[in-house]
Amino acid sequence: MLKHLLKRFVLYAFATYGVLWTLVESVSAFNEAWKISGTAAYVTLVLCSVAAGLWRAIPRSSVDIAVPNSDSSVSIEFGDIFKKPGCVAIQVNEYFDSLLGNHISTNSPYLYTQLIEHVSPIS
């Protein structure tokens, strides 16, 4: 996870630096009075790039996805589903995976098995 965050930080920091540098050079090409130079300007450019990299690399706690051709959206939140207030919808197939055998056990990876354990502990 840390490697992924570092990779995102570096990617967005360098991308922001490149965009800002391109804008500065483009603006200064048209008017010499607008030319930005010196240590303070460079440090400002680097600090803006680092801030943008940090802002984009921080993991999100939720993601909203708009459903095409409707006014609906799907909100995906990261965390413990059993500690969230309100109603929770858990998707299952029409067969409820009953062909898998003893799939209701305390160490089962299925979310609905964990829900059954949370609501009514399996003995």
Side-chain angles (χ1 to χ4, degrees):
M1 175 84 178
L2 185 62
K3 185 178 179 181
H4 176 71
L5 292 177
L6 184 63
K7 183 178 176 182
R8 282 180 56 101
F9 165 73
V10 170
L11 175 74
Y12 283 111
F14 276 116
T16 304
Y17 181 82
V19 168
L20 290 177
W21 185 266
T22 302
L23 290 173
V24 166
E25 288 295 319
S26 298
V27 167
S28 64
F30 291 109
N31 191 344
E32 193 68 29
W34 294 346
K35 187 162 181 83
I36 299 171
S37 62
T39 306
Y42 180 73
V43 168
T44 303
L45 191 67
V46 169
L47 288 177
C48 289
S49 302
V50 167
L54 286 173
W55 179 67
R56 293 291 294 176
I58 294 173
R60 298 180 182 178
S61 61
S62 66
V63 177
D64 291 324
I65 302 170
V67 177
N69 302 322
S70 72
D71 289 338
S72 301
S73 66
V74 176
S75 178
I76 301 172
E77 296 182 13
F78 303 99
D80 190 350
I81 194 169
F82 303 116
K83 291 183 181 176
K84 296 284 182 188
C87 298
V88 176
I90 298 176
Q91 177 254 341
V92 296
N93 62 22
E94 64 181 288
Y95 302 107
F96 204 66
D97 290 335
S98 60
L99 299 177
L100 294 177
N102 187 15
H103 64 284
I104 300 179
S105 64
T106 55
N107 56 1
S108 175
Y110 296 110
L111 186 58
Y112 52 84
T113 305
Q114 294 176 16
L115 175 67
I116 292 169
E117 174 66 25
H118 183 74
V119 173
S120 173
I122 302 169
S123 47

